[in-house]
């Protein structure tokens, strides 16, 4: 009966329901280095026997380690490990029935009950001790063999033999060499252990080409001039749109017009020209050496540099000639451009992932990341990953993570939720979100509840962007200073990761292309000459919020978010606190950017660990000019005038 | 890069989150033949392309069939199939991007927009039509090739060619031969399609040996005398404790005493003697021919016969000599008996499942079921399955189901919940439950909510037993007629499957062994001489309840249970209704078996489909002497006097 061969018939332990586990182990969960990886599982066997259960884990390519798992009742076992370094780890649960330990439990009970058969029990024990000796280290094996001889020796006093078998030394040494030949090994689950910046990062996107003198194409050297100011505002990642040569064929003009005028610089996302493709640098920005010099200047300011990787080609990209099989060709001999019928995007060629040459294509694209990692880049923002195969990402990201676990990938997938989440499961570290379109307190709360619940929190690290070069939400179009600051505070206090597209954001730029959710005179298609210090900017406010984030662990991830009831539907109130409650903040945001709102919050005192009769003080970190208030009890008053500040960021002090 | 070989790189569709799915497809879900198997899945691809998705299914050993799945939005697809017969089925989801269909959508839009490139589009279409011709049946291939020639023919009028490509005949024929070479096949899930009796059965357990004349060991022929009465009470399965020869060594005496007196008959669970083992019949019960005669008599009364299979041996079992390797042997040469130190059960030898000879052992035990199936048995109650390896059951039950899908297995696992459920996942059709120990309305409700929710309802069919030869709950020990009837009504109206151990139950037998949850003078260890018609019995009441069950589809499974709020905590009220609401019952049970309770129920009128201003009548089926009440609105009064009836079983009539 061949189906019998699928079974390990002598192994009586079964392992079920390990957690965390994502889709039966098909996708990795994520943790940060400072996290403990807590694991639980149901471990069962067909008897009343005591089970031995361990959590087995290793970093990819290293050897397995084990920690015991604790029986917490009802067939549930718990254990935890703490990874020593970032990278791809894997864990599993292993269980077995330890014959010696179970014999010993029975032996102790029988001895206590004065069982007349105890001599036979000693013989059974002797056999188990001998077997342990066979598994033991040399020195200890001799001791075990000696004990086995004593247990068997009928000429010795029975009481003495029983005493030996009941001693704690005996128990400890024998049980150090368990018989695991019939152990059951549960399913494996990967955990990608990430560096802290995966969970806590503050991004600043800008166009280096707009950093030059008026009328001139900016360079990396020009862009470096902005770094001290960006660092002063408290950002830790600067992110550039694609820095590659830009195609000339069908180049788009200003405001996305179909024909470019002389001197129009084109969209950085129309990648590739005779000067090169995805591993080349636009000559007007500088050379690879200039870029590496820029990386150094950024590092001096405590800034990392994120590159934008967009796997699409202009018709002038070198791949079109070197790898025609990576594109689709039309019967008239022309190459297939991107389209959403009847619209045509003739400046962009999508890559034909169904090509028979897919293996070389996948390797080449992975090589693009590897090239820039070699140059010194450790953060990538990936453009439209949802228009490339999910399975490509699952392979590519894991291959890179195995060698370069420090690399962070931000997925720019503005698409339906299941695709967005699938990309995170495939390995993207962070993802853009629907934050921009959550403009009322109730919908913001519901969205955060989704993001911070299982299974999403196991694999998806959100990155909240109030604006991007592609998105100027109506709320900002009609907004004022309070809108911009309010949206920034929401992003900064609800998510460990956030970013803005500057300097448009801090200058409160908000002129829309008529009828669209986009900027007019979009920087995607033209050089801008920003007055980086334009009056009315919110640079110092942003700096203050970022300083609060840096100073408070409670803000540096997605954990410890507790929503707080209020009686005013225009207002969202929430606690951010660390697990040890050493750091507790209360944020109250007035979503009505144009009118003062007042009301009461009802603090969850039990969850905060504050006695209902205890007073505590709240200090507004966002407006340090405000006095420190003494509060007592759960119900407390607030008043938010957006012309002064759209939010309180209170620190709770005892 | 070898890891690439794990990927099908050209397949762009991914399939996630198929439901129902149990632990990633590791275990079967269960359905009854009259059910439709509804399946949903997330099906995604890396484009805006329309996806084609089918639900693929087959009965084990037969060929695959397909039904289309419907896109219900948000990347979710739904489909359903209706199995043609009982047995092991498997299903999966298959998706692909149909190049022709997607070309056609674009073509229609481009035509409407007056695209100047439409001639090129026709050439692309021609290529797709030719490819379809290559996949088509002979007659249709010719038509398709003709159309391809027309689409390509630049000498023909463009408008005519466009018209052809836009026609519905054209679309229908080409899309009948899709290119599925890059389809993605999702994970497989088994569904065991069961006969109706798996979901709706009423069991009557009795000891055939107690059916003889006073002082004599009963036979199958004696036991057959009870069948008409059992059928009259409305049962459809009679179940016998083990019918095998009983061991003599260490035989237990009356009331489980350690030494048997002369003439003590022993426990039927101490299986095996020189007269045979698990495929033999106790000579005093009769021969296998007598048993088959009994099966026929039962069938005449519409009754099936369930056998008790207990995989354990008396020291006299033939296996002990023929297969000593299936037992554990102690160093003094004695065989290892069952024990729970310091207790010893020397009349029972557990089977040593860790034996090196496990394959022969597994085959032998499966053979026991196969032997009795051959004799004519289709229902088995399996004793203590949780003390045999989970993996043995997973193998054994599936092997039998593949050949004998009609067989029903009831798991007698009175153990912790995770083990109980794991046995159901391993393939047991029905399982005993904690019903007996749920003695308050709130805990009964909570338990039913667990049983009727995912994932439990996908694989576990409960069987509710108010008593068994092993269990006489304190509630019954202290109980009166109302207790017995109330517990029976609860079992009968909350679960599709139930059973009693008779005639102890219907005779209200309730004398406990002092201090235990067991019967005194237990029939497990002695012959009984019941007065089957003892005054005060509740036979006619049981018959009435069983008749209500038979007459009402709403009672014949676990579906359509809705709890109803009441203001009296002694009372549990619930609706049982069919999906089409054609059959609606309201059950109100007073758990206070000794006092009258009154109160109000708050009917969920929306869920019942009753207008809030509409009147409806309720007719008590349990007490037909009660008038038919006219009710209106959700809030209605009840009064239950247990000296008359512990419950109402109202039918709702419009």
């Amino acid at each position: 009966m061949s189906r019998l061969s699928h079974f390990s018939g002598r192994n009586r332990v079964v392992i079920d329901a390990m957690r965390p586990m994502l889709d039966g182990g098909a996708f990795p969960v994520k943790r940060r280095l400072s996290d403990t990886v807590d694991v639980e599982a149901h471990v069962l066997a067909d008897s009343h026997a005591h089970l031995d259960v361990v959590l087995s884990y290793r970093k990819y390519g290293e050897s397995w380690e084990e920690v015991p798992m604790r029986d917490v009742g009802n067939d549930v076992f718990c254990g935890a490990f703490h990874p020593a370094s970032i990278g791809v780890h894997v864990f599993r649960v292993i269980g077995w029935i330890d014959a010696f330990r179970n014999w010993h439990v029975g032996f102790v009970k029988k001895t206590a009950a004065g069982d007349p058969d105890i001599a036979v029990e000693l013989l059974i024990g002797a056999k188990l001790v001998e077997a342990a000796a066979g598994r033991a280290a040399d020195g200890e094996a001799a001791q075990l063999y000696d004990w086995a001889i004593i247990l068997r020796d009928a000429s010795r006093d029975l009481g003495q033999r029983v005493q030996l078998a009941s001693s704690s030394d005996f128990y400890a040494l024998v049980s150090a060499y368990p018989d695991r030949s019939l152990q059951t090994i549960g399913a494996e689950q990967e955990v990608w252990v990430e560096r802290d910046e995966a969970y806590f990062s503050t991004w600043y996107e800008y166009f280096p080409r707009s950093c030059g003198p008026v009328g001139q194409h900016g360079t990396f050297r020009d862009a470096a001039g902005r770094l001290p100011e960006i660092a002063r505002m408290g950002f830790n990642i600067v992110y550039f749109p694609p820095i590659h040569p830009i195609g000339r064929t069908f180049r788009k003009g200003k405001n996305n017009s179909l024909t470019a005028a002389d001197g129009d610089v084109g969209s950085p996302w129309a990648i590739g020209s005779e000067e090169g493709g995805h591993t080349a640098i636009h000559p007007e920005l500088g050379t690879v050496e200039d870029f590496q010099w820029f990386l150094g200047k950024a590092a001096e300011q405590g800034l990392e540099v994120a590159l934008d990787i967009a796997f699409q080609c202009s018709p002038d990209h070198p791949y079109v000639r070197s790898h025609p099989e990576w594109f689709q060709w039309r019967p008239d001999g022309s190459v297939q451009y991107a389209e959403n019928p009847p619209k045509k995007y003739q400046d962009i060629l999508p890559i034909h992932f169904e090509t028979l040459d897919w293996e070389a294509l996948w390797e080449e694209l992975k090589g693009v990341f590897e090239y820039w990692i070699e140059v010194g880049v450790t953060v990538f923002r990936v453009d439209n990953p949802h228009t490339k195969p999910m399975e490509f990402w699952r392979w590519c990201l894991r291959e890179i993570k195995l060698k370069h676990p420090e690399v962070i990938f931000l997925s720019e997938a503005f698409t339906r939720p299941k695709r967005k989440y699938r990309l995170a499961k495939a390995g993207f570290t962070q993802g853009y979100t629907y934050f921009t379109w959550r403009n009322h307190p109730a919908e913001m709360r519901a969205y955060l509840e989704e993001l911070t619940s299982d299974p999403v929190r196991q694999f998806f690290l959100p990155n909240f962007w109030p604006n991007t070069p592609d998105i100027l939400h109506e709320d900002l179009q009609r907004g004022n200073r309070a809108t911009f600051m309010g949206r920034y505070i929401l992003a900064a206090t609800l998510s460990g990761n956030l970013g803005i597209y500057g300097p448009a954001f801090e200058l409160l730029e908000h002129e829309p292309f008529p009828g669209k959710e986009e900027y007019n005179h979009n920087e995607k298609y033209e050089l801008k000459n920003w007055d980086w210090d334009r009056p009315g900017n919110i640079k110092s406010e942003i700096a203050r919020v970022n300083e609060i984030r840096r100073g408070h662990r409670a803000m540096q991830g997605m954990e410890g978010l507790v929503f707080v009831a209020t009686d005013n539907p225009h207002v969202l109130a929430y606690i951010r606190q660390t697990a040890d409650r050493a750091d507790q903040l209360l944020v109250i945001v007035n979503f009505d950017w144009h009118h003062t709102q007042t009301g009461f919050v009802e603090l969850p005192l039990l969850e905060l660990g504050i006695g209902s009769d205890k007073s505590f003080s709240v200090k507004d970190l966002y407006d340090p000019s405000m006095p420190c208030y003494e509060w007592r009890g759960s119900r407390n008053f607030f008043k938010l005038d957006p012309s002064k500040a759209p939010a309180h960021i209170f620190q709770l002090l005892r």
Side-chain angles (χ1 to χ4, degrees), chain A residues 208-278:
Chain A
R209 70 185 183 184
S210 289
C211 297
V214 177
Q216 280 183 38
H217 195 288
T219 66
F220 291 132
R221 296 196 172 258
D222 297 326
R226 307 302 326 153
L227 291 171
E229 185 67 8
I230 293 167
R232 207 151 37 233
M233 279 193 280
F235 293 91
N236 69 339
I237 294 178
V238 292
Y239 146 45
F240 285 163
I243 59 172
H244 315 300
I246 294 171
R248 287 178 182 82
T249 306
F250 294 111
R251 175 178 284 190
K252 292 285 177 69
K254 293 193 177 67
N255 258 338
N256 203 17
S257 66
L258 284 179
T259 45
D262 261 7
D264 273 353
V265 288
S267 160
W269 285 272
I271 293 168
S273 73
E274 59 264 38
E275 287 117 351
H278 284 80

Side-chain angles (χ1 to χ4, degrees), chain A residues 255-331:
Chain A
N255 258 338
N256 203 17
S257 66
L258 284 179
T259 45
D262 261 7
D264 273 353
V265 288
S267 160
W269 285 272
I271 293 168
S273 73
E274 59 264 38
E275 287 117 351
H278 284 80
T279 53
I281 290 178
H282 192 299
E284 294 196 72
L285 287 171
T287 62
V288 70
E289 290 73 25
D290 293 334
F291 180 66
Q292 286 182 310
W293 171 87
F294 179 85
L295 294 179
K297 293 310 261 186
E300 283 172 18
Q301 300 286 341
L303 290 161
E304 282 185 78
V305 178
L307 276 199
D308 189 327
I309 299 295
F311 284 136
Q312 57 191 19
C313 298
S314 97
D316 309 322
H317 196 291
Y319 287 161
V320 180
R321 278 171 303 281
S322 65
H323 289 283
E325 66 281 11
W326 294 352
F327 300 89
Q328 270 195 295
W329 297 88
R330 293 162 24 113

